[in-house]
Amino acid sequence: MVAKSRIKPGDQRPGGPAGAVQLGVVLLCHARLDVAARMARIWVEGGARVAIHVDAKASARSVARMRDALSDLPGIVFSRRHTCDWGRFSLVRATQDAAQLLLERFPEVTHVYLASGSCLPLRPVRDLAAFLALDPACDHIESVNALDVGWTVGGLNEERFTLFYPLDWRKQRWLFDRLTGLQRSLGIRRRLPKGLSPHLGSQWWCLTTATLRAILEDPRRSEFDRFFRLTWIPDESYFQTLARRHAIRIESHSLTLAKFDHNGRPYQLYDDHALMLEESRCFVARKVWPKATELLAHFPRPPGPQPDLSPPQPQRIERLINRTVRRRLLGRPGLYMQSRFPRKDAENGKTSAPYAVFQGFSDIFPEFEDWLAGLLDADVHGHLLGPEMVEFAGRPAIGPGAISSNTLIRDRDPHGFLTALIRITTRMQVFQFSPRDNQRLNWFIATDPNAHIHVVTGAWMLPLLESDMPFDDIRRVTALLQRAEIAQMDVLNSVWVKARVHVHELTDFLARPQEMLFQSLHHLPLQAGPPTDMPRMRDLEGLADLLRRLKNSGLRPRLSGDALPTADITLPERTAAE
């Protein structure tokens, strides 16, 4: 038995004799075993050891063909077969048995990569091994705290740990829903095993053998297995939770590119995805259509003279998929579809005149309010719905129309406050907004045809770079503000929205700040011609490091971008007048 090594959290050993990596792969297969055999051959010929689990529901003939196709490869073993059902503990049991067999037969393995028979390696296996050798003690597993940020798509979050799930959701949907509702009405709440904090994440991970052995050989494993046997979809929580108990250092992301639609089903990859997959620099992608012959022939890419140590960069393909999802759910403007068929509104206009809301701009540009006031023929306010005071332009105690700046008076009737401010003058009203502000007007503004809403998601995080708060406080504030912005984005993506909404991801905005800033002014009343300069931008140093620390602490930043390419941002030159 290999003893579990302990490396200090600050150590990083480069590849070489001391940091050499021997990769092992657990391959879960249930259908199209011919494709799965092809994937297994890629892994073994790349230098990996492979343990294969085949679902007991697969026919004996197809399994025999798979064994025969792989009989010439010495680095493959087949584990005991289980009947696996979606969302059940059987998937965890299959992974446990295959991993245990892999570690017993190949004790030289240093890292174990969990993949499915439809996971296609995109880069040479030696590139993955060399990348892991940069930090041999690091575990790559998406592990998100279930109590901080909603991770699931169209499913349960905290309740998957606190209720009992003895039924199969797919086969016994009606009984499953009734049992879940009954437990809610009775106030049933399971207790987690002592010492565990519930975490969720992608099923596909890469763990060091030290961490994996610690999970499989934990003295309390039978207790943990009993608990997770009655949780919902434990393959997305078992290893993700126990890794937090045993790992030395976690990079909270999956090395497998796997995207899901709004129903929680994985996207399939076809031949025309080859270029995007190659640009993503990901090591593995799921899920490949079995008949995508050109894609299967194109990957993995041939190895170069030296291993490529560049990390995965899936941001572009993820943004494209996210836009596709939004287009599918919301449709194109002016076209009708079942999910957004128009209904008459009972109101005869919510407000009397157009107004504009800017969210995130003052976080990116600290002097944005003053700069904008010098450009527009409008009243430019600060945070009218801020928690400390109503920030009228110039910060008077009494605003236009004798409206008080007292937040208690404002919050008694925020709808009346906003409508009165817009009605009291003929000048356009412009104000700043943030997840820190009062959120009670989100639906009101979003469904108002007079509203112009410009949002840069995740920009609220930038002021945290200059705060002196301890990291634990920053993490807590980030979780609260992210929840608020996620709820607001759900409103702005609703089929009922009538405002003119322009939403930019922080990554996209920082890549082209001047272009996007000037676009946001297009429909506003300018005093003179278009602007020629920009306000001062906040210093972005430390942003990528902060995002990484938040991810590794179990809090996934969902709206701030991932590994922002700040090094590639080219800011426009300042003019002589500045």
Side-chain angles (χ1 to χ4, degrees):
M1 182 177 297
V2 179
K4 181 177 180 181
S5 62
R6 282 291 173 186
I7 304 173
K8 295 180 181 180
D11 294 345
Q12 287 196 2
R13 299 186 301 182
V21 166
Q22 175 59 62
L23 188 64
V25 178
V26 171
L27 209 60
L28 302 181
C29 311
H30 72 279
R32 292 307 304 258
L33 299 186
D34 55 332
V35 176
R38 184 172 182 169
M39 299 301 108
R41 182 171 292 275
I42 292 173
W43 285 111
V44 174
E45 291 179 349
R49 309 290 186 260
V50 177
I52 298 176
H53 174 271
V54 180
D55 195 322
K57 294 194 290 285
S59 67
R61 180 178 299 177
S62 62
V63 176
R65 285 197 297 265
M66 183 182 191
R67 285 179 174 270
D68 184 63
L70 300 174
S71 59
D72 60 315
L73 299 176
I76 291 182
V77 293
F78 286 81
S79 67
R80 182 163 59 106
R81 297 173 64 186
H82 297 271
T83 300
C84 297
D85 295 305
W86 183 88
R88 308 296 296 158
F89 190 76
S90 52
L91 282 171
V92 176
R93 179 66 69 193
T95 305
Q96 291 173 329
D97 287 356
Q100 191 73 52
L101 180 63
L102 180 72
L103 297 178
E104 291 174 358
R105 293 290 185 88
F106 306 107
E108 71 274 14
V109 166
T110 61
H111 293 72
V112 177
Y113 198 106
L114 178 62
S116 77
S118 60
C119 287
L120 174 63
L122 304 179
R123 294 166 60 178
V125 176
R126 74 168 190 177
D127 284 5
L128 173 58
F131 176 80
L132 296 174
L134 293 175
D135 190 0
C138 182
D139 294 284
H140 297 266
I141 178 170
E142 186 178 36
S143 178
V144 180
N145 192 309
L147 304 180
D148 285 336
V149 178
W151 179 85
T152 58
V153 177
L156 304 171
N157 201 55
E158 296 95 336
E159 284 186 325
R160 65 168 65 193
F161 297 98
T162 59
L163 301 181
F164 294 88
Y165 299 96
L167 303 175
D168 190 296
W169 180 76
R170 287 187 170 177
K171 297 179 180 178
Q172 301 165 297
R173 179 78 61 88
W174 187 87
L175 288 175
F176 182 97
D177 291 341
R178 296 304 178 277
L179 180 60
T180 301
L182 177 63
Q183 293 182 79
R184 289 170 177 166
S185 63
L186 295 177
I188 292 176
R189 187 175 182 86
R190 300 174 68 197
R191 290 186 178 181
L192 270 77
K194 187 176 180 180
L196 291 190
S197 175
H199 282 68
L200 300 168
S202 171
Q203 178 186 359
W204 315 109
W205 41 254
C206 181
L207 297 177
T208 63
T209 55
T211 299
L212 186 57
R213 285 185 186 278
I215 293 174
L216 297 176
E217 299 171 4
D218 194 304
R220 298 173 60 194
R221 174 178 161 180
S222 59
E223 176 190 356
F224 298 150
D225 287 2
R226 282 195 303 271
F227 175 81
F228 281 97
R229 193 173 289 116
L230 292 177
T231 60
W232 195 46
I233 319 182
D235 52 291
E236 294 178 352
S237 59
Y238 181 87
F239 291 97
Q240 294 74 9
T241 298
L242 294 181
R244 290 289 175 180
R245 173 179 169 85
H246 295 289
I248 297 173
R249 184 164 53 257
I250 285 179
E251 282 287 344
S252 182
H253 66 155
S254 173
L255 296 177
T256 298
L257 175 65
K259 293 295 291 183
F260 298 84
D261 62 17
H262 63 287
N263 291 321
R265 296 180 179 179
Y267 282 103
Q268 291 211 59
L269 301 173
Y270 299 94
D271 289 335
D272 53 356
H273 292 132
L275 181 59
M276 287 192 298
L277 290 175
E278 191 167 349
E279 290 178 350
S280 74
R281 308 298 302 148
C282 290
F283 293 106
V284 182
R286 183 180 186 272
K287 170 179 185 180
V288 178
W289 184 46
K291 296 184 180 180
T293 54
E294 294 182 14
L295 194 68
L296 292 171
H298 188 73
F299 293 108
R301 301 306 297 147
Q306 297 294 329
D308 182 0
L309 302 179
S310 61
Q313 298 175 354
Q315 293 83 9
R316 179 173 180 269
I317 188 172
E318 288 180 349
R319 286 198 297 270
L320 289 173
I321 292 176
N322 291 338
R323 290 172 188 151
T324 303
V325 172
R326 289 196 295 269
R327 175 61 59 85
R328 179 180 179 184
L329 295 178
L330 303 178
R332 289 183 174 90
L335 298 179
Y336 298 123
M337 56 187 288
Q338 179 188 9
S339 64
R340 61 186 188 99
F341 192 81
R343 294 178 176 86
K344 294 181 66 175
D345 199 346
E347 297 159 324
N348 185 21
K350 291 177 174 289
T351 53
S352 60
Y355 59 101
V357 182
F358 285 86
Q359 177 171 327
F361 289 76
S362 58
D363 295 320
I364 300 173
F365 308 103
E367 300 158 6
F368 177 74
E369 181 184 341
D370 294 335
W371 178 82
L372 191 62
L375 287 175
L376 300 183
D377 182 19
D379 293 333
V380 180
H381 306 282
H383 290 262
L384 292 180
L385 302 174
E388 290 84 16
M389 68 172 293
V390 179
E391 295 180 354
F392 291 117
R395 305 299 186 268
I398 302 297
I403 300 176
S404 173
S405 63
N406 187 293
T407 58
L408 295 178
I409 297 175
R410 177 201 65 194
D411 292 343
R412 288 187 62 185
D413 182 16
H415 298 81
F417 164 83
L418 182 60
T419 56
L421 178 64
I422 295 171
R423 186 178 61 250
I424 206 70
T425 176
T426 58
R427 287 168 61 85
M428 186 177 190
Q429 302 298 299
V430 180
F431 63 95
Q432 319 303 315
F433 192 70
S434 166
R436 304 177 184 89
D437 297 349
N438 189 319
Q439 304 290 307
R440 288 174 58 188
L441 291 181
N442 285 352
W443 271 111
F444 181 85
I445 296 175
T447 54
D448 185 2
N450 282 327
H452 297 255
I453 306 174
H454 302 271
V455 181
V456 181
T457 60
W460 47 264
M461 182 176 290
L462 298 183
L464 296 176
L465 297 174
E466 301 173 4
S467 71
D468 296 325
M469 293 189 299
F471 176 75
D472 288 343
D473 292 339
I474 291 178
R475 184 185 184 279
R476 185 160 43 251
V477 170
T478 300
L480 293 174
L481 296 182
Q482 182 163 258
R483 280 181 177 270
E485 189 164 73
I486 289 173
Q488 183 198 13
M489 289 303 103
D490 290 339
V491 172
L492 295 182
N493 289 327
S494 167
V495 297
W496 303 105
V497 169
K498 294 184 178 180
R500 296 184 180 182
V501 180
H502 305 273
V503 178
H504 306 290
E505 294 182 356
L506 182 59
T507 306
D508 293 337
F509 190 94
L510 294 181
R512 297 175 296 159
Q514 184 170 8
E515 177 184 347
M516 292 192 174
L517 176 60
F518 291 175
Q519 284 180 359
S520 66
L521 307 178
H522 182 66
H523 296 289
L524 301 181
L526 298 174
Q527 292 183 3
T532 58
D533 63 333
M534 282 175 49
R536 177 181 62 85
M537 180 178 284
R538 190 182 299 273
D539 186 7
L540 304 178
E541 183 179 359
L543 178 57
D545 182 65
L546 175 61
L547 292 172
R548 178 181 176 183
R549 290 186 66 192
L550 290 170
K551 285 177 59 179
N552 293 341
S553 69
L555 176 64
R556 184 182 67 166
R558 291 178 56 182
L559 299 174
S560 305
D562 189 0
L564 293 171
T566 53
D568 299 332
I569 295 173
T570 302
L571 298 181
E573 297 182 359
R574 312 294 287 180
T575 64
E578 294 178 85

